[in-house]
């Protein structure tokens, strides 16, 4: 009785393993892209929700406040009457970049309006830059990919 494998058996086995590794790596890349797309959507929605919530808060409470962009900690905070009310922390892999605002602060008056037009930039986990542009005095914002 012969011991060992023939050359054809070895080639077939290696081919099957190679195909399986290729399929797994394609699946992992697809998963990472889907995960990144979800993070982008959550980040855009989270930023809009956070800003609009506290614009409305200032209007209802008839107080002013500010939304502060903390680039070093990748978070946004809302401050009113000298107290931090809430914060939005960016998801892992999302990096906030310097918004073009003085002191990284968006001021909101007691009517819920902001006199700051600005562009907020962040990088996703695939290192692609995304921008959100906010206009003055209106609820208009534009997302660019």
């Amino acid at each position: 009785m012969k011991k060992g494998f023939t050359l054809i058996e070895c080639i077939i086995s290696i081919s099957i393993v190679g195909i399986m590794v290729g399929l797994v790596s394609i699946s992992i890349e697809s998963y990472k892209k889907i995960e990144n797309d979800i993070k982008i959507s959550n980040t855009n929605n989270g930023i809009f929700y956070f800003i609009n919530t506290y614009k409305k808060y200032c209007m209802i409470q008839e107080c002013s406040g500010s939304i502060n962009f903390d680039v070093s900690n990748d978070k946004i905070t809302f401050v009113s009457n000298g107290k931090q009310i809430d914060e939005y922390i960016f998801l892992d892999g999302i990096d906030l970049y310097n918004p073009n605002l003085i002191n990284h602060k968006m001021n909101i008056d007691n009517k819920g309006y902001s006199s700051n037009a600005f562009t907020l930039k962040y990088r996703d986990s695939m290192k692609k830059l995304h921008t959100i542009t906010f206009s003055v005095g209106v609820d208009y914002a534009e997302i660019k990919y």
Side-chain angles (χ1 to χ4, degrees):
M1 186 161 173
K2 186 165 92 168
K3 293 184 180 180
F5 299 102
T6 65
L7 180 61
I8 214 70
E9 290 171 330
C10 288
I11 290 173
I12 290 173
S13 298
I14 291 171
S15 298
I16 290 172
V17 169
I19 290 169
M20 292 174 70
V21 167
L23 291 174
V24 168
S25 68
I26 290 170
S27 296
I28 290 172
E29 287 303 312
S30 292
Y31 169 78
K32 286 181 181 179
K33 175 148 179 25
I34 291 169
E35 178 186 37
N36 189 56
D37 290 347
I38 291 169
K39 283 182 179 182
I40 292 167
S41 179
N42 283 344
T43 299
N44 290 336
N45 291 335
I47 291 169
F48 279 108
Y49 179 78
F50 190 86
I51 290 173
N52 287 331
T53 296
Y54 290 105
K55 286 172 87 174
K56 190 171 186 175
Y57 174 92
C58 288
M59 185 177 65
I60 291 170
Q61 299 293 323
E62 294 182 355
C63 66
S64 60
S66 66
I67 294 178
N68 305 310
F69 298 90
D70 184 349
V71 176
S72 60
N73 294 313
D74 290 326
K75 69 179 181 179
I76 303 172
T77 58
F78 174 70
V79 176
S80 181
N81 296 324
K83 294 189 320 192
Q84 180 177 318
I85 307 295
D86 198 3
E87 67 182 9
Y88 174 80
I89 300 172
F90 284 75
L91 298 168
D92 286 339
I94 303 291
D95 298 318
L96 180 62
Y97 278 74
N98 289 337
N100 59 339
L101 285 165
I102 298 171
N103 298 325
H104 300 181
K105 184 187 293 189
M106 174 186 162
N107 295 313
I108 304 171
D109 67 15
N110 61 350
K111 293 185 169 112
Y113 290 109
S114 172
S115 59
N116 304 103
F118 67 98
T119 299
L120 181 66
K121 296 179 182 181
Y122 68 89
R123 283 204 188 277
D124 62 24
S125 54
M126 302 283 190
K127 303 302 178 201
K128 184 176 179 189
L129 187 65
H130 301 268
T131 60
I132 303 174
T133 302
F134 293 89
S135 298
V136 175
V138 295
D139 291 329
Y140 178 74
E142 180 182 16
I143 300 172
K144 293 183 181 176
Y145 295 98

